[in-house]
Amino acid sequence: MQNPQGDIRASDQAVTRPISSIGVLMAGAIDYAGLFPPSAVSMQDAVENYAAYKRGEYSWMLGRFVVTAGRLNEFAAEAAKVFKAGEEPWRVAVVVGEDIELSTYSVVEFNSVERGRFVADVMEIKTASVEDIENACRIVPQTVEAYYEIPLDQRLPELVATLALRGQRAKIRTGGITPDAFPKAREIVRFVRACTAANLPFKATAGLHHPLRCQRPLTYEPNAAKGKMHGFLNLFLMTAFVRDGRHNDMLEELMMTEDAGEFRFDQTGVRWRNDNVLTLFQLEQARYNGIQSFGSCSFTEPVEDLKALGIL
């Protein structure tokens, strides 16, 4: 893992978005979560990084800035130093604390004060029951899109159904800083299949620093423990194949694929092992109705890895 402390500040330059399968697949896909482990950079560094990414060559891949509700004011103070007049408002995803009412109040106040510069248009809420979801739905304003992080155990079908009935969105945690924080491939496939069946858009977070599944250190510390990390391309393409009605065995095998040579990206779509094809339309549908984004504590790692694979 590249240490995000070493992220190079990008200079202002023309944005070149590829008119191809990777352009469709990765548009606005990476929510920058540099404040969170294993990166955990300072607010100043995170804000300066985000400003640089927004003005850099790969800004078309950048999604929201992720921050906890309790640090919204700190974010606003730092971001105001680098925000440029005339820029589009920065979009912010707010991770809700234990007190959802207090977090919601913070978001509403932030949006009122910072209108025109920053907008917190997403809240991410950890829930474990139908009651948790219904309570949050009563509190979160309709002007904010809420993503509900739900467990992957036997409660999954009921919670997905509840979110779909309430017109909400789901969130899956796909990793962490210890090996046991990474769900099995079959658990991720089960989540995606459940969301797809319910027409429920979702996002992912944690452990998706790299395009393809790989064995990597789980933190930036010397001698950090290593583990298998899921790939964001594996996840995005698996989501598209779920919508194509593929069987579990094939979907799980795709999630486990580590060889970049098995994939081909071009102007018409994506091929996996030659016979499995996704068109640009299928990729668009997977993004629009399925996987919305993923949170990563580094923006440069995904970009540099895609370049190293020859995809960008």
Side-chain angles (χ1 to χ4, degrees):
M1 298 174 73
Q2 175 187 338
N3 188 334
Q5 293 277 10
D7 283 350
I8 299 174
R9 300 285 191 267
S11 59
D12 290 4
Q13 52 190 301
V15 175
T16 304
R17 174 177 167 179
I19 307 173
S20 65
S21 50
I22 196 65
V24 171
L25 203 60
M26 294 302 298
I30 307 174
D31 290 336
Y32 178 57
L35 295 173
F36 295 82
S39 168
V41 299
S42 69
M43 182 66 75
Q44 179 182 351
D45 284 345
V47 164
E48 289 178 355
N49 283 342
Y50 188 77
Y53 305 149
K54 280 188 68 66
R55 299 158 192 162
E57 181 180 2
Y58 298 101
S59 61
W60 59 271
M61 295 173 59
L62 185 65
R64 292 172 175 83
F65 185 98
V66 185
V67 63
T68 59
R71 301 186 71 181
L72 271 172
N73 289 338
E74 182 187 359
F75 162 78
E78 288 294 337
K81 299 174 184 178
V82 295
F83 182 82
K84 292 184 177 180
E87 277 189 317
E88 291 186 0
W90 292 12
R91 295 178 300 156
V92 180
V94 179
V95 178
V96 170
E98 291 186 8
D99 189 333
I100 188 171
E101 291 189 10
L102 180 60
S103 293
T104 301
Y105 176 80
S106 298
V107 168
V108 172
E109 182 180 43
F110 174 86
N111 284 338
S112 176
V113 172
E114 300 299 336
R115 185 173 301 167
R117 295 194 300 181
F118 317 117
V119 55
D121 59 350
V122 161
M123 292 172 64
E124 302 183 14
I125 307 166
K126 190 171 184 177
T127 51
S129 68
V130 170
E131 291 73 23
D132 288 345
I133 293 171
E134 292 181 339
N135 179 59
C137 286
R138 287 191 292 267
I139 297 171
V140 175
Q142 294 184 354
T143 54
V144 176
E145 197 77 71
Y147 287 82
Y148 293 79
E149 182 181 337
I150 55 178
L152 302 180
D153 56 22
Q154 71 278 2
R155 292 169 286 182
L156 177 68
E158 183 179 27
L159 298 181
V160 165
T162 300
L163 290 174
L165 288 170
R166 297 293 183 272
Q168 304 299 313
R169 299 186 172 200
K171 175 182 172 182
I172 181 173
R173 185 162 294 275
T174 47
I177 58 175
T178 58
D180 62 341
F182 290 77
K184 303 295 185 184
R186 64 176 177 273
E187 294 176 313
I188 300 177
V189 169
R190 180 170 175 258
F191 170 87
V192 173
R193 286 179 66 93
C195 289
T196 303
N199 292 315
L200 184 67
F202 64 92
K203 72 168 294 185
T205 192
L208 292 172
H209 299 260
H210 305 285
L212 299 178
R213 181 177 170 86
C214 55
Q215 178 90 2
R216 297 291 183 100
L218 301 182
T219 72
Y220 300 111
E221 299 299 323
N223 303 315
K226 293 185 177 181
K228 286 289 185 180
M229 305 179 75
H230 297 293
F232 59 82
L233 287 183
N234 300 79
L235 174 60
F236 278 48
L237 295 176
M238 183 269 286
T239 299
F241 277 121
V242 166
R243 302 186 66 83
D244 194 42
R246 301 304 181 96
H247 294 296
N248 273 5
D249 289 347
M250 178 268 197
L251 299 171
E252 291 177 21
E253 192 170 353
L254 172 57
M255 282 298 298
M256 302 288 284
T257 300
E258 302 181 28
D259 183 4
E262 296 187 9
F263 299 90
R264 192 176 78 198
F265 294 79
D266 59 31
Q267 301 295 319
T268 63
V270 179
R271 287 181 177 273
W272 176 57
R273 295 180 177 173
N274 292 322
D275 296 329
N276 301 291
V277 181
L278 291 167
T279 65
L280 292 182
F281 177 76
Q282 288 174 304
L283 297 178
E284 289 171 350
Q285 289 299 300
R287 288 298 317 280
Y288 185 77
N289 296 307
I291 178 74
Q292 303 295 296
S293 64
F294 68 95
S296 173
C297 71
S298 175
F299 181 73
T300 55
E301 270 186 338
V303 169
E304 293 303 320
D305 279 9
L306 287 171
K307 290 166 66 177
L309 292 174
I311 297 175
L312 283 183

Coordinates of all heavy atoms in Angstrom, one line a residue, residues 106-184:
S106 N -26.3 18.6 13.0 CA -25.0 19.1 12.5 C -25.0 19.2 11.0 O -24.5 20.2 10.4 CB -23.9 18.2 12.9 OG -23.8 18.1 14.3
V107 N -25.6 18.2 10.3 CA -25.7 18.3 8.8 C -26.6 19.4 8.4 O -26.2 20.2 7.4 CB -26.2 16.9 8.3 CG1 -26.5 17.0 6.8 CG2 -25.1 15.8 8.5
V108 N -27.7 19.6 9.0 CA -28.7 20.6 8.6 C -28.0 22.0 8.8 O -28.1 22.9 7.9 CB -30.0 20.5 9.3 CG1 -30.9 21.7 9.1 CG2 -30.7 19.2 8.9
E109 N -27.4 22.2 9.9 CA -26.8 23.5 10.2 C -25.6 23.7 9.2 O -25.4 24.8 8.7 CB -26.3 23.5 11.7 CG -25.6 24.8 12.1 CD -25.1 24.8 13.5 OE1 -24.5 23.8 13.9 OE2 -25.3 25.8 14.2
F110 N -24.8 22.7 9.0 CA -23.7 22.8 8.0 C -24.2 23.3 6.7 O -23.6 24.2 6.1 CB -23.0 21.5 8.0 CG -21.9 21.4 6.9 CD1 -20.6 21.8 7.2 CD2 -22.1 20.9 5.7 CE1 -19.6 21.7 6.3 CE2 -21.2 20.8 4.7 CZ -19.9 21.2 5.0
N111 N -25.2 22.6 6.2 CA -25.7 22.9 4.9 C -26.3 24.4 4.8 O -26.2 25.0 3.8 CB -26.8 21.9 4.4 CG -26.2 20.6 4.0 OD1 -25.0 20.5 3.6 ND2 -27.0 19.5 4.0
S112 N -26.9 24.8 5.9 CA -27.4 26.2 5.9 C -26.3 27.2 5.9 O -26.4 28.2 5.2 CB -28.3 26.3 7.2 OG -28.7 27.6 7.3
V113 N -25.3 27.0 6.7 CA -24.2 27.9 6.8 C -23.3 27.9 5.6 O -22.8 29.0 5.1 CB -23.4 27.7 8.1 CG1 -22.1 28.5 8.1 CG2 -24.2 27.9 9.3
E114 N -23.0 26.7 5.0 CA -22.0 26.6 4.0 C -22.6 26.6 2.6 O -21.9 26.2 1.6 CB -21.2 25.3 4.2 CG -20.5 25.3 5.5 CD -19.4 26.4 5.7 OE1 -19.0 26.9 4.6 OE2 -19.1 26.7 6.8
R115 N -23.8 26.9 2.4 CA -24.5 26.9 1.1 C -23.7 27.6 0.1 O -23.2 28.8 0.3 CB -25.9 27.5 1.2 CG -26.7 27.4 -0.1 CD -28.1 27.8 0.2 NE -28.8 27.1 1.2 CZ -29.9 27.4 1.9 NH1 -30.5 28.6 1.5 NH2 -30.4 26.6 2.8
G116 N -23.4 27.0 -1.1 CA -22.7 27.6 -2.1 C -21.2 27.2 -2.2 O -20.6 27.3 -3.2
R117 N -20.7 26.7 -1.1 CA -19.3 26.2 -1.0 C -19.3 24.7 -0.8 O -18.7 23.9 -1.6 CB -18.5 26.9 0.1 CG -18.4 28.3 -0.1 CD -17.3 28.9 0.8 NE -17.6 28.7 2.2 CZ -16.9 29.1 3.3 NH1 -15.7 29.7 3.0 NH2 -17.2 28.9 4.5
F118 N -20.0 24.2 0.2 CA -20.0 22.8 0.5 C -21.4 22.3 0.8 O -22.2 23.0 1.3 CB -19.1 22.5 1.8 CG -17.8 23.3 1.8 CD1 -17.5 24.2 2.8 CD2 -16.9 23.1 0.8 CE1 -16.4 24.9 2.8 CE2 -15.7 23.8 0.8 CZ -15.4 24.7 1.8
V119 N -21.7 21.0 0.4 CA -23.0 20.5 0.7 C -22.9 19.1 1.2 O -22.3 18.2 0.5 CB -23.9 20.6 -0.6 CG1 -23.3 19.9 -1.8 CG2 -25.3 20.0 -0.3
A120 N -23.4 18.8 2.3 CA -23.5 17.4 2.9 C -24.7 16.8 2.4 O -25.8 17.0 3.0 CB -23.4 17.5 4.4
D121 N -24.7 16.1 1.2 CA -25.9 15.5 0.6 C -26.0 14.0 0.8 O -26.9 13.4 0.3 CB -25.9 15.9 -0.9 CG -24.7 15.3 -1.6 OD1 -23.7 14.9 -1.0 OD2 -24.7 15.4 -2.9
V122 N -25.1 13.5 1.6 CA -25.1 12.0 1.9 C -24.8 11.8 3.4 O -23.9 12.5 4.0 CB -24.1 11.2 1.1 CG1 -23.8 9.9 1.7 CG2 -24.7 11.0 -0.3
M123 N -25.6 11.0 4.1 CA -25.3 10.5 5.4 C -25.2 9.0 5.4 O -25.9 8.3 4.7 CB -26.4 11.0 6.4 CG -26.5 12.5 6.6 SD -28.0 13.0 7.5 CE -27.6 12.2 9.2
E124 N -24.2 8.5 6.1 CA -23.9 7.1 6.2 C -24.2 6.6 7.7 O -23.6 7.1 8.6 CB -22.5 6.8 5.8 CG -22.2 7.2 4.4 CD -20.8 6.9 4.0 OE1 -20.1 6.0 4.6 OE2 -20.3 7.4 2.9
I125 N -25.1 5.7 7.8 CA -25.7 5.4 9.1 C -25.5 3.9 9.4 O -26.0 3.0 8.6 CB -27.2 5.7 9.2 CG1 -27.4 7.2 8.8 CG2 -27.7 5.5 10.6 CD1 -28.8 7.6 8.5
K126 N -25.0 3.5 10.5 CA -24.8 2.1 10.9 C -26.1 1.6 11.6 O -26.5 2.2 12.6 CB -23.6 1.9 11.7 CG -23.2 0.4 12.0 CD -21.9 0.3 12.6 CE -21.5 -1.2 12.8 NZ -20.2 -1.4 13.4
T127 N -26.7 0.6 11.1 CA -27.9 0.1 11.7 C -27.9 -1.4 11.8 O -27.1 -2.1 11.1 CB -29.1 0.4 10.8 OG1 -28.9 0.0 9.4 CG2 -29.4 1.9 10.8
A128 N -28.6 -2.0 12.7 CA -28.6 -3.4 13.0 C -30.0 -4.0 13.0 O -30.1 -5.2 13.2 CB -27.9 -3.7 14.3
S129 N -31.0 -3.2 12.9 CA -32.4 -3.7 13.0 C -33.4 -2.9 12.2 O -33.1 -1.8 11.7 CB -32.9 -3.7 14.4 OG -33.0 -2.4 14.9
V130 N -34.6 -3.4 11.9 CA -35.6 -2.7 11.2 C -36.0 -1.4 12.0 O -36.2 -0.4 11.4 CB -36.9 -3.6 11.1 CG1 -38.0 -2.8 10.6 CG2 -36.6 -4.7 10.1
E131 N -36.0 -1.5 13.3 CA -36.3 -0.4 14.2 C -35.3 0.7 14.0 O -35.7 1.9 13.9 CB -36.4 -0.8 15.6 CG -37.6 -1.7 16.0 CD -37.4 -3.1 15.5 OE1 -36.2 -3.6 15.2 OE2 -38.4 -3.8 15.3
D132 N -34.0 0.4 13.9 CA -33.0 1.4 13.7 C -33.2 2.1 12.4 O -33.1 3.4 12.3 CB -31.6 0.7 13.6 CG -31.1 0.2 14.9 OD1 -31.7 0.6 16.0 OD2 -30.1 -0.6 15.0
I133 N -33.5 1.4 11.3 CA -33.8 2.0 10.0 C -35.0 2.9 10.1 O -34.9 4.1 9.6 CB -33.9 0.9 8.9 CG1 -32.6 0.1 8.7 CG2 -34.4 1.5 7.6 CD1 -32.7 -1.1 7.9
E134 N -36.1 2.4 10.6 CA -37.3 3.2 10.6 C -37.1 4.5 11.5 O -37.7 5.5 11.1 CB -38.5 2.4 11.1 CG -38.8 1.3 10.1 CD -40.0 0.4 10.6 OE1 -40.3 0.4 11.8 OE2 -40.6 -0.2 9.7
N135 N -36.4 4.4 12.6 CA -36.1 5.5 13.4 C -35.3 6.6 12.6 O -35.6 7.8 12.6 CB -35.4 5.1 14.7 CG -35.1 6.3 15.6 OD1 -36.0 7.0 16.0 ND2 -33.8 6.5 15.8
A136 N -34.3 6.1 11.9 CA -33.4 7.0 11.1 C -34.2 7.7 10.0 O -34.0 8.9 9.7 CB -32.2 6.3 10.6
C137 N -35.1 6.9 9.4 CA -35.9 7.5 8.3 C -36.8 8.6 8.8 O -37.1 9.5 8.0 CB -36.8 6.4 7.7 SG -35.9 5.2 6.7
R138 N -37.2 8.6 10.0 CA -38.0 9.6 10.5 C -37.2 10.9 10.8 O -37.8 12.0 10.8 CB -38.7 9.2 11.8 CG -39.9 8.2 11.6 CD -40.6 8.0 12.9 NE -39.8 7.3 13.9 CZ -39.9 6.0 14.1 NH1 -40.6 5.2 13.3 NH2 -39.1 5.4 15.0
I139 N -35.9 10.7 11.0 CA -35.1 11.9 11.4 C -34.3 12.5 10.3 O -34.3 13.7 10.2 CB -34.1 11.4 12.5 CG1 -34.8 10.9 13.8 CG2 -33.1 12.5 12.8 CD1 -33.9 10.2 14.8
V140 N -33.8 11.7 9.4 CA -33.0 12.2 8.3 C -33.8 13.0 7.3 O -34.9 12.6 6.8 CB -32.3 11.1 7.5 CG1 -31.5 11.6 6.3 CG2 -31.3 10.3 8.5
P141 N -33.4 14.3 7.0 CA -34.2 15.1 6.1 C -34.2 14.5 4.7 O -33.3 13.8 4.2 CB -33.5 16.4 6.1 CG -32.1 16.2 6.5 CD -32.2 15.0 7.5
Q142 N -35.3 14.7 3.9 CA -35.5 14.2 2.6 C -34.5 14.8 1.6 O -34.2 14.2 0.5 CB -36.9 14.4 2.1 CG -37.9 13.6 2.9 CD -39.3 13.7 2.3 OE1 -39.5 14.5 1.4 NE2 -40.3 13.0 2.8
T143 N -33.9 15.9 1.9 CA -32.9 16.5 1.1 C -31.5 15.8 1.1 O -30.6 16.2 0.3 CB -32.7 18.0 1.5 OG1 -32.4 18.1 2.9 CG2 -34.0 18.8 1.2
V144 N -31.4 14.9 2.0 CA -30.1 14.1 2.2 C -30.3 12.7 1.8 O -31.3 12.1 2.2 CB -29.6 14.3 3.6 CG1 -28.3 13.4 3.8 CG2 -29.3 15.7 4.0
E145 N -29.4 12.1 1.0 CA -29.4 10.7 0.7 C -28.8 9.9 1.8 O -27.6 10.2 2.2 CB -28.7 10.5 -0.6 CG -29.0 9.1 -1.3 CD -30.4 9.1 -2.0 OE1 -30.5 9.8 -3.1 OE2 -31.3 8.5 -1.5
A146 N -29.5 8.9 2.3 CA -28.9 8.1 3.4 C -28.5 6.7 2.9 O -29.3 6.1 2.2 CB -29.9 8.0 4.5
Y147 N -27.3 6.3 3.3 CA -26.9 4.9 3.1 C -26.8 4.2 4.5 O -26.2 4.7 5.4 CB -25.5 4.9 2.5 CG -25.5 5.3 1.0 CD1 -25.5 6.7 0.6 CD2 -25.4 4.4 0.0 CE1 -25.5 7.1 -0.7 CE2 -25.4 4.8 -1.3 CZ -25.4 6.1 -1.7 OH -25.4 6.5 -3.0
Y148 N -27.4 3.1 4.5 CA -27.5 2.3 5.8 C -26.5 1.1 5.8 O -26.7 0.2 5.0 CB -28.9 1.9 6.1 CG -29.9 3.0 6.3 CD1 -30.4 3.8 5.3 CD2 -30.2 3.4 7.6 CE1 -31.2 4.9 5.5 CE2 -31.1 4.4 7.9 CZ -31.6 5.2 6.8 OH -32.4 6.2 7.0
E149 N -25.5 1.2 6.6 CA -24.6 0.0 6.7 C -25.3 -1.1 7.5 O -25.7 -0.9 8.7 CB -23.3 0.4 7.4 CG -22.3 -0.7 7.6 CD -21.1 -0.3 8.3 OE1 -20.7 0.9 8.3 OE2 -20.4 -1.2 8.8
I150 N -25.5 -2.2 6.9 CA -26.2 -3.3 7.5 C -25.3 -4.6 7.7 O -24.4 -4.8 6.9 CB -27.5 -3.7 6.7 CG1 -27.1 -4.0 5.3 CG2 -28.5 -2.5 6.8 CD1 -28.3 -4.4 4.4
P151 N -25.6 -5.4 8.7 CA -24.8 -6.6 8.8 C -25.1 -7.6 7.7 O -26.2 -7.6 7.1 CB -25.3 -7.2 10.2 CG -26.7 -6.6 10.4 CD -26.7 -5.2 9.7
L152 N -24.1 -8.6 7.5 CA -24.2 -9.5 6.5 C -24.7 -10.9 7.0 O -24.6 -11.9 6.3 CB -22.9 -9.7 5.8 CG -22.3 -8.4 5.2 CD1 -20.9 -8.7 4.5 CD2 -23.2 -7.8 4.2
D153 N -25.3 -10.9 8.1 CA -25.8 -12.2 8.7 C -27.2 -12.5 8.3 O -27.7 -12.0 7.3 CB -25.6 -12.2 10.2 CG -26.4 -11.0 10.9 OD1 -27.3 -10.4 10.2 OD2 -26.0 -10.6 12.0
Q154 N -27.9 -13.3 9.1 CA -29.3 -13.7 8.8 C -30.3 -12.6 8.7 O -31.4 -12.7 8.2 CB -29.8 -14.8 9.8 CG -30.1 -14.2 11.2 CD -28.9 -14.1 12.0 OE1 -27.7 -14.4 11.6 NE2 -29.0 -13.8 13.3
R155 N -29.9 -11.4 9.2 CA -30.8 -10.2 9.2 C -30.8 -9.6 7.8 O -31.7 -8.7 7.6 CB -30.4 -9.2 10.2 CG -30.6 -9.7 11.7 CD -29.9 -8.7 12.7 NE -28.4 -8.9 12.6 CZ -27.6 -8.2 13.4 NH1 -28.0 -7.3 14.3 NH2 -26.3 -8.5 13.4
L156 N -29.9 -9.9 7.0 CA -29.7 -9.2 5.7 C -31.0 -9.1 4.9 O -31.4 -8.0 4.4 CB -28.6 -9.8 4.9 CG -28.4 -9.2 3.5 CD1 -27.8 -7.8 3.6 CD2 -27.4 -10.1 2.7
P157 N -31.7 -10.2 4.6 CA -32.9 -10.1 3.7 C -34.0 -9.1 4.2 O -34.5 -8.3 3.5 CB -33.5 -11.5 3.7 CG -32.3 -12.4 4.0 CD -31.5 -11.6 5.0
E158 N -34.2 -9.2 5.5 CA -35.3 -8.3 6.1 C -34.8 -6.8 6.1 O -35.6 -5.9 5.8 CB -35.6 -8.7 7.6 CG -36.7 -7.9 8.2 CD -37.0 -8.3 9.6 OE1 -36.1 -8.8 10.3 OE2 -38.1 -8.1 10.0
L159 N -33.5 -6.6 6.3 CA -33.1 -5.2 6.3 C -33.0 -4.6 4.9 O -33.4 -3.4 4.7 CB -31.7 -5.1 7.0 CG -31.6 -5.6 8.5 CD1 -30.2 -5.4 9.0 CD2 -32.6 -4.7 9.3
V160 N -32.6 -5.4 4.0 CA -32.6 -5.0 2.6 C -34.1 -4.6 2.1 O -34.3 -3.6 1.5 CB -32.0 -6.0 1.6 CG1 -32.4 -5.7 0.2 CG2 -30.5 -6.1 1.8
A161 N -35.0 -5.5 2.5 CA -36.4 -5.3 2.1 C -36.9 -4.0 2.8 O -37.7 -3.2 2.1 CB -37.3 -6.5 2.6
T162 N -36.6 -3.8 4.0 CA -37.0 -2.6 4.7 C -36.5 -1.3 4.0 O -37.2 -0.3 3.8 CB -36.5 -2.6 6.2 OG1 -37.1 -3.7 6.8 CG2 -37.0 -1.3 6.9
L163 N -35.2 -1.3 3.7 CA -34.6 -0.2 3.0 C -35.2 0.1 1.7 O -35.5 1.2 1.3 CB -33.1 -0.4 2.8 CG -32.2 -0.4 4.1 CD1 -30.8 -0.8 3.8 CD2 -32.2 1.0 4.8
A164 N -35.5 -1.0 0.9 CA -36.2 -0.8 -0.4 C -37.6 -0.2 -0.2 O -38.0 0.7 -1.0 CB -36.2 -2.2 -1.1
L165 N -38.3 -0.7 0.8 CA -39.7 -0.2 1.0 C -39.7 1.3 1.4 O -40.6 2.0 1.1 CB -40.4 -1.0 2.0 CG -40.8 -2.5 1.6 CD1 -41.3 -3.3 2.8 CD2 -41.9 -2.4 0.6
R166 N -38.6 1.7 2.1 CA -38.5 3.1 2.6 C -37.8 4.0 1.6 O -37.6 5.1 1.8 CB -37.7 3.1 3.9 CG -38.4 2.4 5.0 CD -39.7 3.0 5.4 NE -40.3 2.4 6.6 CZ -41.2 1.3 6.5 NH1 -41.5 0.8 5.3 NH2 -41.7 0.8 7.6
G167 N -37.4 3.4 0.4 CA -36.8 4.2 -0.6 C -35.4 4.7 -0.2 O -34.9 5.8 -0.6
Q168 N -34.7 3.9 0.6 CA -33.3 4.2 1.1 C -32.3 3.5 0.3 O -32.5 2.9 -0.8 CB -33.2 3.9 2.6 CG -34.3 4.6 3.4 CD -34.2 6.1 3.3 OE1 -33.2 6.7 3.4 NE2 -35.4 6.7 3.1
R169 N -31.0 3.6 0.8 CA -29.9 2.9 0.1 C -29.1 2.1 1.1 O -29.2 2.4 2.3 CB -29.0 4.0 -0.6 CG -29.8 4.7 -1.7 CD -28.9 5.6 -2.5 NE -29.6 6.2 -3.6 CZ -29.1 6.7 -4.7 NH1 -27.7 6.8 -4.8 NH2 -29.8 7.2 -5.7
A170 N -28.3 1.2 0.7 CA -27.6 0.3 1.6 C -26.1 0.6 1.5 O -25.6 1.3 0.6 CB -27.8 -1.2 1.2
K171 N -25.4 0.1 2.5 CA -23.9 0.2 2.5 C -23.3 -1.1 3.0 O -23.8 -1.7 4.0 CB -23.5 1.4 3.4 CG -22.0 1.5 3.7 CD -21.8 2.7 4.7 CE -20.3 2.8 5.1 NZ -20.1 3.9 6.1
I172 N -22.2 -1.5 2.4 CA -21.5 -2.8 2.9 C -20.1 -2.4 3.2 O -19.4 -1.6 2.6 CB -21.5 -3.8 1.7 CG1 -20.8 -5.1 2.2 CG2 -21.0 -3.3 0.4 CD1 -20.9 -6.3 1.3
R173 N -19.7 -3.0 4.4 CA -18.3 -2.8 4.8 C -17.5 -4.0 4.2 O -17.7 -5.2 4.5 CB -18.2 -2.8 6.3 CG -16.8 -2.5 6.8 CD -16.8 -2.1 8.3 NE -17.5 -0.8 8.4 CZ -16.9 0.4 8.2 NH1 -15.6 0.5 7.9 NH2 -17.5 1.5 8.3
T174 N -16.5 -3.7 3.4 CA -15.8 -4.7 2.6 C -14.4 -5.0 3.2 O -13.6 -5.7 2.5 CB -15.7 -4.4 1.2 OG1 -15.3 -3.0 1.0 CG2 -17.1 -4.6 0.5
G175 N -14.0 -4.4 4.3 CA -12.7 -4.7 4.8 C -12.4 -3.8 6.1 O -13.3 -3.3 6.7
G176 N -11.1 -3.7 6.4 CA -10.7 -3.0 7.6 C -9.2 -3.1 7.8 O -8.5 -3.3 6.8
I177 N -8.8 -3.0 9.0 CA -7.3 -3.1 9.3 C -6.9 -4.4 9.9 O -5.7 -4.5 10.3 CB -6.9 -1.9 10.1 CG1 -7.6 -1.9 11.5 CG2 -7.1 -0.6 9.4 CD1 -7.2 -0.8 12.4
T178 N -7.8 -5.4 10.0 CA -7.4 -6.7 10.4 C -8.0 -7.7 9.5 O -9.1 -7.4 8.8 CB -8.0 -7.0 11.9 OG1 -9.4 -6.8 11.9 CG2 -7.3 -6.0 12.9
P179 N -7.4 -8.9 9.3 CA -7.9 -9.9 8.4 C -9.4 -10.3 8.6 O -10.1 -10.5 7.6 CB -7.0 -11.1 8.6 CG -5.7 -10.5 9.1 CD -6.1 -9.3 9.9
D180 N -9.8 -10.3 9.9 CA -11.2 -10.8 10.1 C -12.2 -9.7 9.8 O -13.4 -10.0 9.8 CB -11.3 -11.2 11.6 CG -11.1 -10.0 12.6 OD1 -10.4 -9.0 12.2 OD2 -11.5 -10.1 13.7
A181 N -11.8 -8.5 9.4 CA -12.7 -7.4 9.0 C -13.2 -7.6 7.6 O -14.1 -6.9 7.2 CB -12.1 -6.1 9.2
F182 N -12.6 -8.5 6.8 CA -12.9 -8.7 5.4 C -14.0 -9.8 5.3 O -13.7 -10.9 5.6 CB -11.7 -9.0 4.6 CG -10.7 -7.9 4.5 CD1 -9.9 -7.5 5.5 CD2 -10.7 -7.1 3.3 CE1 -9.0 -6.4 5.4 CE2 -9.8 -6.0 3.1 CZ -9.0 -5.7 4.2
P183 N -15.1 -9.5 4.8 CA -16.1 -10.5 4.6 C -15.7 -11.5 3.5 O -14.9 -11.2 2.6 CB -17.4 -9.8 4.1 CG -16.9 -8.5 3.6 CD -15.6 -8.2 4.3
K184 N -16.3 -12.7 3.5 CA -16.0 -13.7 2.4 C -16.6 -13.2 1.1 O -17.6 -12.4 1.1 CB -16.6 -15.0 2.8 CG -16.1 -15.6 4.1 CD -14.6 -15.9 4.1 CE -14.2 -16.6 5.3 NZ -12.7 -16.8 5.4

